[in-house]
Amino acid sequence: MPSVFTLPRNSIGSSVVLVASICSVAPDLDVVGFHFGIEYGEMLGHRGITHSISFAVAVTTLLAIFMPSGGKRNRLVTFLFLFISTVSHGILDSMTNGGLGVAFFAPFNSGRYFLRWRLIEVSPIGMDFFSASGVRVIFSELKWIWFPSAVVITIVRLWRGMTLDNK
């Protein structure tokens, strides 16, 4: 019996994983706006529309349509994988201890939001990242993102290995 926690074998190829990696950082392309005089809190500013759910849906829909896939089901799996990769950026940004919040509902609502759990150290923008503050951010992300992710991945892989052995 298939589990809701497993993807069909070979449904996510290396090209989709590469594109998902790019999608996970793409929302921060909005920092280019600083060079054009766009203010942080504007819709096109940092953590604005590129961090929204609408942006994630639009970008990943286009990518899922134009990326090669093995049929409707794989196109849906590709969309979901890319969507989660893209929208996770805004979710994690809303868990930081700084900034103006994330415009999750842009362009329909210009409000900025944080999640209740603001555990992640906010990252300095630009070259300031290469400072003592940047080192604190790296350790904060290791503690709150990378280590828990590694634990979950390890548990899932062990669980999947056990279920495969039982068949």
Side-chain angles (χ1 to χ4, degrees):
M1 180 165 149
S3 167
V4 295
F5 298 110
T6 59
L7 291 172
R9 294 253 181 242
N10 302 322
S11 63
I12 300 293
S14 57
S15 62
V16 175
V17 171
L18 175 63
V19 171
S21 299
I22 294 167
C23 285
S24 72
V25 296
D28 271 346
L29 291 174
D30 61 12
V31 297
V32 173
F34 290 133
H35 298 290
F36 297 104
I38 298 172
E39 297 292 324
Y40 188 114
E42 295 179 31
M43 184 76 66
L44 294 175
H46 187 52
R47 294 186 176 176
I49 197 163
T50 62
H51 286 61
S52 72
I53 297 167
S54 299
F55 176 83
V57 168
V59 167
T60 57
T61 297
L62 289 172
L63 289 169
I65 288 170
F66 292 108
M67 288 188 72
S69 72
K72 269 187 176 176
R73 181 183 173 122
N74 281 355
R75 197 171 306 282
L76 177 61
V77 169
T78 298
F79 167 80
L80 291 172
F81 190 72
L82 296 177
F83 175 77
I84 290 168
S85 298
T86 307
V87 83
S88 68
H89 185 106
I91 292 169
L92 290 171
D93 274 359
S94 72
M95 295 173 69
T96 64
N97 62 4
L100 300 177
V102 175
F104 283 121
F105 307 108
F108 309 107
N109 176 331
S110 61
R112 301 286 183 113
Y113 302 90
F114 284 105
L115 291 181
R116 177 174 275 164
W117 309 278
R118 296 179 62 190
L119 307 168
I120 303 167
E121 187 75 27
V122 69
S123 181
I125 297 173
M127 294 305 290
D128 289 341
F129 181 79
F130 301 101
S131 65
S133 180
V135 171
R136 282 193 306 276
V137 168
I138 289 170
F139 282 110
S140 175
E141 290 185 2
L142 284 169
K143 178 180 179 181
W144 297 113
I145 302 169
W146 293 101
F147 179 71
S149 296
V151 169
V152 168
I153 289 167
T154 301
I155 290 169
V156 168
R157 287 187 171 221
L158 289 171
W159 180 77
R160 285 184 77 185
M162 291 187 314
T163 59
L164 291 175
D165 290 342
N166 292 335
K167 289 185 177 184

